[in-house]
Amino acid sequence: MAPCDVARKAEEIRSKMQVALRDELEESISRDQLVLEGKTEESKLRTEPLAIKVARTDELMALLYELLLQRVTSTFIDLHFFQVVEAEIALNLYLQHILSLRRYCSEEEVVTIVTGRGLHSKNGVAKLRPAVENLLIQQKISYRGDVGSFRI
């Protein structure tokens, strides 16, 4: 899939996810309001619709990550089309996996984390790159910064 197609598809999924999250929140608030009013029987009737909305949100989140993580290997992860929060979640999971592999392998391969340079960010100011660098620092992972990527 071409990069512009990935970006477009990711934005489409994010838009659907915002609607699903809003629906989930409204359903949750409605159910909580019934509990506060002492209407426990009526609130129980809201449990299934809420569970369905939560499942829809989870389904969209999984679809987004599946799309964005198409080009991940044991030595390469491209975070280009991730928003900062999404990238932090994905990178944390990826690093856990890589670091656990390194415990059992005698040979450490260089891992490349592609962030881009921020050229497509608002006002051309990178958001993803500093967030990834902070995450690497917090986890005390040594790295080398290259143009648009990090090597660990």
Side-chain angles (χ1 to χ4, degrees):
M1 189 178 289
C4 59
D5 293 334
V6 171
R8 184 182 43 73
K9 184 71 174 165
E11 199 49 48
E12 184 181 303
I13 294 169
R14 284 185 189 109
S15 178
K16 288 178 183 177
M17 209 160 49
Q18 283 181 329
V19 171
L21 283 168
R22 188 173 41 250
D23 289 348
E24 180 183 327
L25 181 62
E26 286 172 0
E27 190 68 42
S28 181
I29 289 170
S30 173
R31 185 172 146 233
D32 290 349
Q33 186 63 39
L34 289 170
V35 170
L36 289 173
E37 293 170 0
K39 300 176 182 175
T40 53
E41 289 305 313
E42 291 175 43
S43 74
K44 287 179 186 175
L45 296 175
R46 297 284 209 181
T47 301
E48 187 176 342
L50 178 58
I52 291 169
K53 290 180 183 346
V54 169
R56 176 68 179 144
T57 304
D58 291 349
E59 175 188 333
L60 287 166
M61 184 75 75
L63 190 61
L64 178 64
Y65 279 99
E66 182 181 322
L67 171 72
L68 295 174
L69 293 172
Q70 287 177 20
R71 296 180 42 213
V72 174
T73 68
S74 62
T75 59
F76 180 87
I77 183 169
D78 186 347
L79 301 173
H80 255 106
F81 301 107
F82 283 78
Q83 292 179 348
V84 172
V85 172
E86 297 164 351
E88 289 172 338
I89 292 168
L91 187 56
N92 268 315
L93 292 171
Y94 181 76
L95 290 172
Q96 285 174 7
H97 174 69
I98 294 302
L99 296 175
S100 70
L101 286 178
R102 285 184 174 179
R103 276 187 234 132
Y104 300 106
C105 299
S106 58
E107 193 177 305
E108 287 189 15
E109 295 186 63
V110 173
V111 174
T112 302
I113 303 167
V114 178
T115 60
R117 294 177 286 171
L119 299 178
H120 301 288
S121 295
K122 239 182 207 172
N123 302 324
V125 177
K127 295 178 194 161
L128 188 55
R129 185 173 177 79
V132 168
E133 187 169 22
N134 285 336
L135 196 143
L136 294 172
I137 291 168
Q138 286 172 358
Q139 294 195 16
K140 296 179 173 84
I141 297 173
S142 59
Y143 64 90
R144 186 180 91 216
D146 293 331
V147 176
S149 67
F150 294 98
R151 295 185 184 275
I152 62 171

